[in-house]
Amino acid sequence: MTDEKRRPRPAAQYGPTAEVVAANVARLRKARGLTIYGLSGLLEKAGRPITPSAIAKVEKQQRQVTVDDLAALAVAFGVSPAALLLPLDDDPNHRVEVTGAGQVPASSAWAWASGRQPLKLTPGREEAELLEHQLNGLPSSQVRMRQQPLWRALQVAEESTGRLLRKSSVFVEGDDEHFADQVHQARRALERVAAELDHLESTRAGEAADLKRWAEDAKKPKGEDSDGPSVD
């Protein structure tokens, strides 16, 4: 046997995301009230068997999780894959480490994992990179929907109200002016949503009226326009 054949295989390299996956498997298993044997049974029924000892090794970062394992675990726990890949923290003031990206704001990591935006945006190219992200990472129906003004207004409203609710959960003395400003921003964002809804409703009503008129015109005798019979 050659020296090369005798050489032991290098140990698997575990990055920051693997560490989070291991912690989340343990967290979700306990939250579901499952032992490693119970979880193993669920995975076997799902057609992706993982032995109890292998599950214990996953939680100790002694066994790699394949993409098929990850999908099966997410199904067994009743969560999205993102709930395994990221910590349960979306505070924009906190940072999480993502393999290949380094430290990023927790809120950005979750927006990326949920398909809302790229993990990082280049200053001056935000709009282009967001569009590329959607075109390359979402079904075409989702891309079309996200290009609508109403969708964009809803996104802004969600972000504004989210900041407001986070702010309202912690009282800071002397911060009334900042809080009032966030209330104003959230109100303006919701008013924009209402305006876009009104516009969508009026557009739909106009289209319905046009269709009705065209249908009535199609029923008229040939040579008769909408103002009455034609005169030679």
Side-chain angles (χ1 to χ4, degrees):
M1 183 178 292
T2 65
D3 290 341
E4 185 177 346
K5 291 183 179 179
R6 293 192 187 96
R7 189 177 300 140
R9 296 175 62 185
Q13 298 296 312
Y14 294 89
T17 300
E19 181 179 351
V20 172
V21 169
N24 278 329
V25 170
R27 174 183 65 81
L28 289 164
R29 177 179 63 77
K30 293 171 184 176
R32 290 287 304 273
L34 294 168
T35 64
I36 56 176
Y37 300 96
L39 177 55
S40 179
L42 285 179
L43 292 168
E44 185 173 5
K45 289 179 182 178
R48 187 68 185 179
I50 301 178
T51 65
S53 61
I55 292 172
K57 288 181 178 179
V58 165
E59 294 182 1
K60 295 176 182 177
Q61 294 185 65
Q62 296 173 353
R63 179 186 182 278
Q64 291 276 19
V65 175
T66 69
V67 290
D68 288 307
D69 293 341
L70 186 79
L73 285 164
V75 171
F77 290 135
V79 298
S80 75
L84 286 164
L85 292 168
L86 294 172
L88 282 186
D89 181 3
D90 67 347
D91 190 321
N93 297 315
H94 295 171
R95 299 185 74 80
V96 299
E97 190 169 4
V98 176
T99 301
Q103 296 279 341
V104 297
S107 57
S108 297
W110 275 98
W112 166 67
S114 60
R116 291 179 56 181
Q117 67 181 44
L119 187 56
K120 294 183 177 181
L121 290 166
T122 305
R125 297 197 69 249
E126 292 90 347
E127 288 295 329
E129 290 179 351
L130 180 58
L131 181 58
E132 290 172 2
H133 171 77
Q134 294 176 353
L135 291 173
N136 296 327
L138 293 172
S140 58
S141 60
Q142 286 282 322
V143 175
R144 289 194 298 271
M145 181 172 66
R146 293 179 187 223
Q147 295 305 307
Q148 298 300 316
L150 176 57
W151 175 273
R152 294 197 292 270
L154 283 167
Q155 293 298 101
V156 172
E158 181 182 356
E159 292 168 4
S160 297
T161 54
R163 287 193 296 269
L164 175 62
L165 291 171
R166 281 192 293 269
K167 193 71 174 177
S168 65
S169 65
V170 179
F171 176 76
V172 178
E173 188 174 355
D175 200 30
D176 293 345
E177 185 176 346
H178 188 206
F179 181 74
D181 181 59
Q182 290 192 328
V183 169
H184 176 70
Q185 290 180 24
R187 184 175 288 114
R188 289 289 300 275
L190 291 170
E191 288 171 354
R192 174 67 185 275
V193 171
E196 292 295 345
L197 282 169
D198 290 341
H199 177 70
L200 184 65
E201 184 178 33
S202 63
T203 300
R204 180 65 180 266
E207 291 173 350
D210 288 340
L211 286 173
K212 183 178 180 181
R213 187 178 67 254
W214 292 336
E216 291 173 349
D217 288 345
K219 294 177 182 179
K220 292 179 179 180
K222 194 173 182 179
E224 182 178 323
D225 58 25
S226 58
D227 294 325
S230 59
V231 178
D232 293 332

